[in-house]
């Protein structure tokens, strides 16, 4: 079997490796370089994982999994990190592999089926998406959930919300959002700021689900409390590091920081953020720059938005090719899939952002 998991790792001081596949025995994560003697609240970690867990409502796949992490090393019985490499697994208990019998040689449009088949000569187990599956975001949330707890002690907080589903938009975060707002959003079934927008999103998702289709959307994430000076010029910038890791989340197709693409339509006088002094500190009156200038944090909240494509697996007939006969065919997918990935991806974006910030803080302190 090709060792595709060799590329499924990231980080410099905090190294994270994700392993397993959707319909294998288990999935998991190895974390090397996690700070020692940190008390991890396992109940809080499980509550964080619960936000991503499938099978909770009609907005997610009906595949129900417990997603309780089993720590094999790196954590004492009392939940304190001991300096060893942390290894945690989640058992897959609700696979239904026969749903994928007709997909072995017929690639699903917009999935990695075709490219993986060509690159690895058809040797990969692609049931449920295999190692390319969104199921692999559960181990990311183990690492990220732990990182969030460490960052919280440092006064750094991370929160995200569904910024849009299809053409329905939530309001955006305020200039400097409070931790309490993050907690309020996280407790909602549809994690939004404006509940009216959330209800319209729910209705849209139910509509496309009933049609056998899917819908995409965006997530806005904010990181507060990051000190000035984190990041390096050019290729070591805070945006570079975050973007590289965020693109490891399945279905991500775009990312923007601050004003993002909108700034290309503005004049400098409109886009520039005036510097001001508040409580003896330099800050900016607005945050069009999204908390980073020259790749280095400015002390303002780091703000970015992530675009997710619609779930590729849909019930509607789609054109594809039978790879053994090289004949065009019509494909109908039977498996269990999210009609909208975005709802469950909110904690995943928070998790990945947390691991990147904790990794970069380690580098900053050691430098």
């Amino acid at each position: 079997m090709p060792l595709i998991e060799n590329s499924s790792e990231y980080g410099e001081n905090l190294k994270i490796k994700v392993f397993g596949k959707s319909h294998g025995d288990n999935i998991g994560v190895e974390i090397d370089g996690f700070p020692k003697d940190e008390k991890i609240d396992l109940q809080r970690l499980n509550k964080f994982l619960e936000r991503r867990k499938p099978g909770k409502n009609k907005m997610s796949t009906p595949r129900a999994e417990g997603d309780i992490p089993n720590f094999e090393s790196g954590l004492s019985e009392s939940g304190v990190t001991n300096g060893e490499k942390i290894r945690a697994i989640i058992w897959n208990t609700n696979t239904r592999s026969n749903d994928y019998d007709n997909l072995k040689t017929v690639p699903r449009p917009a999935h990695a089926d075709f490219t993986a088949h060509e690159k690895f000569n058809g040797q990969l187990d692609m049931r449920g998406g295999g190692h390319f599956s969104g199921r692999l975001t559960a181990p990311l949330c183990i690492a990220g959930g732990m990182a969030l707890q460490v960052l919280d002690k440092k006064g750094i907080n991370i929160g995200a919300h569904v910024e849009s589903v299809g053409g329905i938009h939530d309001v955006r975060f305020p200039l400097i959002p409070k931790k309490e707002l993050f907690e309020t959003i996280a407790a909602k079934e549809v994690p939004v700021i404006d509940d009216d927008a959330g209800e319209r999103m729910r209705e849209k998702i139910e509509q496309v689900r009933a049609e056998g289709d899917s819908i995409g959307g965006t997530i806005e994430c904010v990181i507060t409390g990051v000190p000035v000076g984190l990041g390096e010029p050019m290729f070591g910038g805070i945006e570079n590091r975050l973007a590289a890791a965020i693109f490891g989340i399945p279905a991500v197709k775009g990312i923007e920081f601050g004003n993002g693409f909108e700034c290309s339509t503005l004049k400098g006088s409109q886009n520039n953020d005036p510097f001001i002094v508040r409580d003896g500190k330099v800050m900016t009156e607005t945050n069009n720059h999204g908390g980073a200038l020259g790749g280095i944090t400015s002390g303002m909240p780091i703000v970015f938005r992530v675009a997710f494509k619609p779930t590729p697996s849909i019930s509607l007939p789609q054109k594809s090719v039978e790879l053994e006969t090289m004949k065009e065919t019509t494909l109908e997918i039977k498996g269990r899939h999210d009609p909208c990935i975005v709802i469950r991806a909110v904690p995943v974006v928070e998790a990945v952002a947390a691991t990147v910030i904790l990794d970069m803080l380690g580098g900053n302190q050691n430098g």
Side-chain angles (χ1 to χ4, degrees), residues 5-270:
E5 293 169 8
N6 285 345
S7 68
S8 300
E9 53 185 88
Y10 67 100
E12 296 180 4
N13 303 286
L14 180 69
K15 295 181 173 65
I16 295 169
K17 180 176 181 178
V18 175
F19 59 87
K21 50 187 181 290
S22 180
H23 284 221
D25 291 336
N26 59 62
I27 53 178
V29 64
E30 292 181 349
I31 311 168
D32 198 2
F34 199 89
K36 187 181 177 183
D37 297 327
E38 290 287 351
K39 172 69 174 177
I40 302 300
D41 185 335
L42 294 178
Q43 185 175 0
R44 180 179 170 187
L45 177 61
N46 288 332
K47 187 176 180 181
F48 180 73
L49 291 169
E50 181 83 16
R51 293 170 55 198
R52 194 221 70 94
K53 193 168 74 172
K56 297 189 296 182
N57 52 57
K58 290 183 178 180
M59 291 182 292
S60 74
T61 170
R63 176 179 175 177
E65 295 280 4
D67 283 1
I68 302 297
N70 297 277
F71 287 90
E72 297 183 334
S73 64
L75 212 62
S76 71
E77 291 184 2
S78 59
V80 178
T81 57
N82 58 23
E84 297 177 350
K85 180 184 290 186
I86 297 170
R87 180 180 168 89
I89 65 169
I90 293 174
W91 295 101
N92 290 325
T93 61
N94 191 15
T95 58
R96 210 168 68 185
S97 300
N98 59 313
D99 284 345
Y100 297 87
D101 288 345
N102 66 324
L103 305 176
K104 291 179 180 178
T105 58
V106 182
R108 294 166 292 177
H111 266 286
D113 294 354
F114 173 69
T115 51
H117 183 277
E118 294 299 297
K119 184 174 180 66
F120 299 108
N121 299 315
Q123 297 181 52
L124 296 186
D125 177 3
M126 292 298 291
R127 295 172 301 169
H131 187 66
F132 298 87
S133 171
R135 180 101 186 97
L136 276 297
T137 60
L140 280 176
C141 283
I142 297 175
M146 295 173 66
L148 282 165
Q149 293 189 29
V150 175
L151 292 175
D152 187 30
K153 298 171 188 176
K154 299 178 182 292
I156 297 173
N157 295 292
I158 301 176
H161 69 114
V162 179
E163 195 269 335
S164 73
V165 168
I168 302 167
H169 288 264
D170 191 14
V171 297
R172 290 186 175 176
F173 277 121
L175 182 65
I176 303 179
K178 302 293 185 183
K179 178 182 177 181
E180 292 75 19
L181 177 59
F182 297 157
E183 293 171 344
T184 298
I185 294 168
K188 298 180 181 181
E189 190 174 55
V190 181
V192 291
I193 300 171
D194 179 4
D195 290 335
D196 288 338
E199 184 56 35
R200 283 183 279 123
M201 290 177 186
R202 186 200 308 275
E203 292 171 358
K204 183 67 174 180
I205 294 169
E206 172 56 24
Q207 176 191 337
V208 298
R209 186 195 66 80
E211 295 169 349
D213 215 330
S214 63
I215 192 78
T218 59
I219 290 171
E220 182 181 46
C221 184
V222 173
I223 309 170
T224 64
V226 179
V228 179
L230 199 64
E232 305 294 336
M234 295 190 74
F235 307 112
I238 183 73
E239 298 113 321
N240 305 59
R241 297 285 298 280
L242 280 168
I246 291 293
F247 270 110
I249 302 173
V252 168
K253 299 301 288 185
I255 187 169
E256 65 175 11
F257 291 85
N259 259 5
F261 286 98
E262 184 184 351
C263 72
S264 66
T265 68
L266 301 177
K267 299 176 182 177
S269 56
Q270 297 171 309

